[in-house]
């Protein structure tokens, strides 16, 4: 995951996933509350939701800032996704600062309905968002 500050309010996330074991399937990706990948990602706790919105599909009427969504992996297990938004920040004291959060790849598909998780399956990948 690479974040780029585009202007004073817009940030772009460029995400690349490679998982041959999940070729030709969807995986769900979410930001989680803590940058702690211990215990197979459970240390990251729940979805990051600073605005206390319902879980849902990115860009729909109801979704929270940590809902990145489902990503389709190709027949080699490769996928890319880019998201540009003003819902995130890398400014230290901003309430929507993503630095230090966990980013989790789930082994299932987000149904965009089940609250608050989307019923996305086990945590199969975990990383911590850091400022470079």
């Amino acid at each position: 995951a690479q974040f780029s500050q585009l202007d004073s309010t817009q940030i772009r996330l460029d995400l690349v996933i490679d998982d041959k074991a999940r070729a030709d399937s969807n995986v769900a990706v979410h930001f989680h509350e803590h940058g702690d990948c211990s215990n197979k990602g459970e240390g990251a706790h729940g979805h990051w939701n600073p605005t206390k919105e319902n879980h849902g599909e990115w860009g729909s009427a109801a979704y929270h800032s940590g809902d990145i969504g489902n990503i389709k992996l190709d027949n080699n297990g490769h996928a890319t996704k880019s998201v540009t938004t003003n819902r995130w920040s890398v400014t230290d004291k901003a309430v929507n600062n993503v630095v230090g959060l966990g980013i989790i790849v789930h082994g299932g598909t987000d149904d965009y309905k089940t609250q608050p998780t989307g019923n996305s399956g086990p945590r199969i990948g975990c990383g911590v968002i850091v400022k470079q």
Side-chain angles (χ1 to χ4, degrees):
Q2 178 74 42
F3 292 85
S4 302
Q5 186 82 45
L6 302 179
D7 60 31
S8 64
T9 62
Q10 296 288 307
I11 290 182
R12 184 180 70 231
L13 164 65
D14 294 309
L15 184 63
V16 178
I17 298 175
D18 285 298
D19 187 348
K20 290 184 182 199
R22 303 262 181 213
D24 290 319
S25 67
N26 287 304
V27 295
V29 177
H30 303 110
F31 293 163
H32 283 247
E33 296 172 322
H34 303 288
D36 179 351
C37 292
S38 65
N39 193 25
K40 298 183 180 180
E42 293 297 325
H45 294 268
H47 291 189
W48 177 64
N49 185 10
T51 53
K52 310 294 185 237
E53 297 169 88
N54 283 333
H55 178 76
E57 184 173 3
W58 185 272
S60 67
Y63 67 102
H64 55 68
S65 297
D67 290 334
I68 308 306
N70 293 320
I71 301 174
K72 174 70 174 154
L73 280 67
D74 66 17
N75 61 354
N76 293 313
H78 178 79
T80 61
K81 182 170 182 140
S82 292
V83 176
T84 299
T85 185
N86 64 355
R87 292 177 72 105
W88 307 329
S89 173
V90 292
T91 304
D92 291 339
K93 296 187 183 197
V95 69
N96 60 343
N97 184 0
V98 296
V99 176
L101 299 178
I103 185 166
I104 298 286
V105 178
H106 293 270
T109 302
D110 191 325
D111 66 14
Y112 300 125
K113 294 175 185 157
T114 304
Q115 299 298 321
T117 65
N119 195 28
S120 302
R123 298 170 190 208
I124 61 168
C126 180
V128 179
I129 301 169
V130 296
K131 192 169 188 175
Q132 295 183 344

